[in-house]
Amino acid sequence: MVIMKRGQTLRDANSVDGDMPYLQDVQETDITAESPSDFSFELTKHFRGMRMWLPLQLLGVKTFRACLEEMLRLTRYFYTKLTELPGIVVDMYPQLTIITFHYETGKEDENKRVNMKLIEKIKEDGSVYLSSTTIRGLFRLRVCLLHYRCTQDNIDDFIEVLSDTLRKLHCC
């Protein structure tokens, strides 16, 4: 239980009154009813800003820039390794830390079937994580490098799992 000396100040700072179209459903409810979200900066959801603000204050911008630079370097390394695999087509050179690619069979309907099988087998293996997406109606495999503990060895492990899975599926 928290006791506040100036509860109205807290409510004014955290309530959903005013011009907030992203919370229009909340604004349409009974305004006479007190809501716990009116007394908390979380608005009943995780306050992601605090998770970013506090480390920035403690560690500084330089640390975050270095981490981003490392993720961009690893993404470029990953791109290079993917382009060395026979049959793998990378959609474009990465500008951020996301890479989309696919195994090319020569026929788009066959591409989708093979790539879906590829992602299924990699997920069964469980040692690396691979997601998929659809871009302009085309099924693609997707990797996003974000975690600060990701290393070049992790990328090499992923490439090895991908290569082994392609061999097992007799793709190359």
Side-chain angles (χ1 to χ4, degrees):
M1 180 175 183
V2 176
I3 299 174
M4 300 301 302
K5 186 174 183 178
R6 287 176 257 162
Q8 187 59 41
T9 304
L10 191 59
R11 186 178 196 288
D12 291 345
N14 295 293
S15 70
V16 294
D17 299 334
D19 185 28
M20 290 186 242
Y22 58 95
L23 292 174
Q24 66 189 12
D25 297 335
V26 176
Q27 290 174 336
E28 292 172 2
T29 60
D30 180 11
I31 60 169
T32 61
E34 292 292 331
S35 170
S37 68
D38 289 341
F39 296 93
S40 168
F41 56 82
E42 292 181 340
L43 292 175
T44 70
K45 295 186 181 215
H46 295 291
F47 182 55
R48 288 179 241 153
M50 182 63 82
R51 286 188 226 152
M52 189 67 196
W53 177 83
L54 187 60
L56 272 171
Q57 296 305 307
L58 294 173
L59 303 172
V61 174
K62 188 176 181 180
T63 303
F64 283 84
R65 283 190 181 130
C67 188
L68 178 58
E69 283 301 319
E70 177 61 8
M71 290 303 105
L72 291 169
R73 185 192 72 75
L74 287 173
T75 304
R76 291 187 294 268
Y77 176 77
F78 188 51
Y79 170 85
T80 301
K81 295 306 246 178
L82 278 174
T83 58
E84 295 171 359
L85 293 176
I88 293 292
V89 176
V90 183
D91 294 324
M92 64 184 304
Y93 188 80
Q95 295 177 4
L96 295 172
T97 61
I98 298 173
I99 295 181
T100 58
F101 61 98
H102 66 282
Y103 181 79
E104 180 61 50
T105 65
K107 298 178 183 174
E108 193 50 48
D109 58 334
E110 184 69 10
N111 283 352
K112 183 175 182 178
R113 188 189 67 71
V114 169
N115 285 286
M116 287 178 86
K117 190 72 170 167
L118 182 59
I119 197 169
E120 177 187 319
K121 292 297 181 188
I122 287 177
K123 283 182 179 181
E124 283 176 11
D125 175 84
S127 60
V128 297
Y129 182 76
L130 179 63
S131 64
S132 65
T133 189
T134 302
I135 301 173
R136 296 185 189 102
L138 303 173
F139 184 83
R140 295 296 184 250
L141 305 173
R142 174 180 58 194
V143 171
C144 182
L145 303 176
L146 291 174
H147 201 278
Y148 66 95
R149 288 186 180 156
C150 185
T151 65
Q152 192 165 313
D153 288 340
N154 298 130
I155 304 298
D156 291 336
D157 291 344
F158 185 95
I159 294 295
E160 186 177 329
V161 169
L162 182 60
S163 297
D164 290 347
T165 307
L166 285 168
R167 264 192 302 281
K168 289 175 187 171
L169 292 175
H170 307 291
C171 292
C172 50

